[in-house]
Amino acid sequence: MTDRQEDKIRLLIVDDHAETRDNIRKILQFEPDIVVVGSARTGQEAIQQAIETQPDVILMDINMPDMDGIKATELILEEVSFAQIVILSIQSEADYMRKAMLAGARYFLAKPPSGDELITTIRTVSERAKDQRKKLSAPAAEVPAQKGDGRQRPMGKLLAVYSPKGGVGCTTLATNMAIGLNSDETPTVLVDGNLQFGDVSVFLNLQVKNSLVDLATRTEELEEDIASEVLMRHDSGLYVLAAPPRPEMADEVQASQVRLVLRFLRQHFAYVVVDNSSTMDDITLAVLDLADVLLAIATTDIPSIKDARLLFDLLSVLEFPKENILFVLNKTDRRSGITAEAVAENLKQAVEGEIPLDDRTVATSVNRGEPLLLGDRSRPIAKHLLDLLATVKQRLMAEELHDESVGETERLKVFGR
Ligand SMILES: Nc1ncnc2c1ncn2[C@@H]1O[C@H](COP(=O)(O)OP(=O)(O)OP(=O)(O)O)[C@@H](O)[C@H]1O
Ligand SMILES: [Mg+2]
């Protein structure tokens, strides 16, 4: 493997039993690429040592005298965000695993793990730590300057992606549309408007350092340099404004602040794509109010179609311009028996795009954090996404032409009011 000290996988062992710590050391002693940089007996010791030793991987016990491994995981990740935490536990209940994963743990191993299992897991998760270390040391993303060739950049267009039902594919489509819209000529930012449980950063395999909260709470001083610190840059060149790392931080953000942030971004980017949570709260309403095009998504099942109907009814009451809605069906499947024509007829709303169900391709893309449009574009699902991208572009450009013709720089409106 490797002889260079700096290439080795730095491992921290956290367990209150000396015997467990020793056993793990013994299992790993002949692995030339793994170096144990510390071992801790309590949660507090673990936090301290993680800060001091900056490990790539932490093996974390659940039951410790001062705090449980889930709390320790959460606290460590606040300090050493690239560390990959593998929980070792005799408790394997789903609820426990879910809590650990929510706290940011990367993997779960039953105690006692076999030698092979332990070594393979450490090697696999350490790749991600190395990757994230590299990203953290990369220079901050520079926000595109407001003025190009001496002229003011025309106000950027905002694409909001929304569904009243969760899990229908908003984040999948928002991510791919943003990747497709971004270019040197049309710099694009993807904003995670799902402040509590946003997962745009996961879909793009980005490590969150700063988030929308950092811009929203500084709206009086919004300048290019502050935005440059907060925005992240994906390898593709796409700019990303992530959701905060913890759900409770969303409480700090008010809808009026989100509005100001989005207005600021529209001055700097050609396209602002906002992924939203399915909750119709004041933040979602603020985003919809600023949207030039609303990409509304549903799947071909009765509950989703019912919710889409409720959405269109609500939008109509709010006098949201019908021509700004772009309605798309995701996960379409011939076997479902519900056709796009039937949905359009039933909802009195044209279906302008269809993305087929492709569990394997989409799951692999999401789990790897590699958007479909950055992979093989000849795959059927990518072709559908490209068709949708063309439609989205056309609609956004039509909005631009419309604005130019009426000389509008910014619509100031609260829906129909
Ligand atoms: N066309 C598709 N074919 C198969 N699976 C898909 C497709 N589109 C999305 N998915 C899967 O559906 C799940 C939900 O997708 P996604 O997270 O994009 O939805 P969402 O509307 O943003 O959900 P949430 O309400 O959690 O924010 C994911 O597991 C994703 O992999
Ligand atoms: Mg989502």
Side-chain angles (χ1 to χ4, degrees):
M1 298 252 162
T2 176
D3 286 336
R4 286 176 40 183
Q5 201 61 27
E6 63 268 30
D7 289 342
K8 293 192 176 181
I9 301 167
R10 301 170 64 77
L11 181 81
L12 173 64
I13 305 169
V14 185
D15 201 298
D16 58 338
H17 289 110
E19 200 188 329
T20 314
R21 296 197 303 272
D22 288 346
N23 282 342
I24 294 176
R25 273 183 191 275
K26 276 189 202 133
I27 293 176
L28 300 174
Q29 64 186 334
F30 299 116
E31 300 311 314
D33 57 331
I34 301 173
V35 48
V36 178
V37 291
S39 65
R41 291 164 303 166
T42 64
Q44 273 310 336
E45 258 185 44
I47 298 166
Q48 191 68 35
Q49 291 204 20
I51 295 170
E52 279 164 19
T53 63
Q54 302 279 301
D56 296 301
V57 181
I58 301 177
L59 297 179
M60 176 72 74
D61 185 20
I62 284 282
N63 297 314
M64 288 182 294
D66 58 341
M67 69 180 81
D68 67 14
I70 294 175
K71 185 76 198 158
T73 295
E74 203 177 300
L75 294 174
I76 286 175
L77 288 176
E78 277 178 19
E79 304 292 337
V80 190
S81 60
F82 55 79
Q84 305 294 304
I85 300 192
V86 177
I87 302 267
L88 282 176
S89 172
I90 29 179
Q91 282 126 325
S92 58
E93 302 98 69
D95 190 44
Y96 230 84
M97 289 193 209
R98 197 177 61 82
K99 278 192 190 141
M101 293 298 171
L102 279 176
R106 194 53 67 194
Y107 214 87
F108 220 89
L109 283 179
K111 251 181 171 178
S114 75
D116 277 354
E117 197 179 22
L118 186 64
I119 293 163
T120 313
T121 306
I122 293 175
R123 288 202 179 118
T124 310
V125 300
S126 75
E127 289 296 314
R128 203 177 165 110
K130 301 260 183 242
D131 212 34
Q132 289 178 356
R133 263 183 202 272
K134 226 186 314 166
K135 281 185 185 151
L136 285 175
S137 59
E142 210 168 292
V143 168
Q146 190 163 0
K147 286 176 189 165
D149 64 14
R151 284 187 316 138
Q152 184 94 358
R153 182 190 288 287
M155 194 62 84
K157 295 289 134 205
L158 194 145
L159 175 73
V161 184
Y162 179 74
S163 154
K165 186 146 213 74
V168 302
C170 287
T171 309
T172 307
L173 296 190
T175 312
N176 281 288
M177 290 305 108
I179 291 276
L181 287 170
N182 184 56
S183 72
D184 288 346
E185 296 75 45
T186 56
T188 300
V189 60
L190 173 59
V191 179
D192 199 335
N194 186 346
L195 293 181
Q196 281 201 312
F197 296 104
D199 37 24
V200 161
S201 57
V202 177
F203 276 59
L204 290 169
N205 195 10
L206 287 170
Q207 184 70 25
V208 177
K209 284 184 282 183
N210 296 306
S211 73
L212 206 154
V213 175
D214 300 280
L215 283 191
T217 49
R218 292 161 84 177
T219 41
E220 311 81 55
E221 38 169 357
L222 264 185
E223 298 286 346
E224 281 165 33
D225 53 338
I226 293 177
S228 293
E229 270 172 42
V230 175
L231 293 187
M232 295 185 296
R233 193 106 193 244
H234 183 252
D235 291 344
S236 63
L238 175 71
Y239 291 80
V240 178
L241 183 54
R246 289 202 315 277
E248 66 271 21
M249 292 169 79
D251 293 346
E252 295 169 36
V253 180
Q254 286 157 16
S256 57
Q257 296 171 324
V258 172
R259 254 174 209 281
L260 290 171
V261 170
L262 293 177
R263 290 219 171 97
F264 172 83
L265 293 175
R266 286 175 59 183
Q267 288 165 4
H268 289 271
F269 290 90
Y271 298 119
V272 180
V273 179
V274 189
D275 180 26
N276 290 281
S277 86
S278 47
T279 322
M280 184 57 92
D281 56 13
D282 55 345
I283 295 204
T284 307
L285 280 170
V287 175
L288 294 190
D289 192 31
L290 289 173
D292 295 287
V293 174
L294 164 61
L295 185 59
I297 301 171
T299 46
T300 47
D301 52 276
I302 302 296
S304 178
I305 295 166
K306 181 215 84 187
D307 284 357
R309 174 193 299 287
L310 293 178
L311 171 67
F312 295 142
D313 288 349
L314 176 69
L315 291 175
S316 151
V317 171
L318 294 171
E319 294 180 31
F320 185 90
K322 198 169 161 73
E323 65 276 15
N324 292 3
I325 301 174
L326 202 164
F327 182 42
V328 168
L329 292 176
N330 188 24
K331 308 192 194 185
T332 55
D333 181 6
R334 247 174 294 150
R335 284 169 302 181
S336 90
I338 300 180
T339 63
E341 292 72 36
V343 176
E345 169 63 28
N346 186 280
L347 297 180
K348 304 280 173 277
Q349 176 73 44
V351 174
E352 292 180 72
E354 278 184 63
I355 309 292
L357 178 78
D358 184 345
D359 285 323
R360 188 130 61 106
T361 312
V362 179
T364 311
S365 142
V366 173
N367 291 339
R368 291 197 181 146
E370 290 167 5
L372 292 158
L373 284 190
L374 290 178
D376 177 2
R377 287 189 168 198
S378 65
R379 288 180 297 197
I381 187 159
K383 286 193 173 153
H384 282 86
L385 284 168
L386 287 171
D387 286 347
L388 178 60
L389 177 65
T391 311
V392 165
K393 268 190 190 163
Q394 215 173 26
R395 291 290 287 271
L396 288 167
M397 279 176 192
E399 272 297 303
E400 216 163 292
L401 290 176
H402 174 257
D403 280 4
E404 273 171 22
S405 69
V406 295
E408 199 180 25
T409 51
E410 167 133 36
R411 275 184 303 154
L412 269 180
K413 60 186 177 70
V414 177
F415 292 97
R417 270 178 279 152

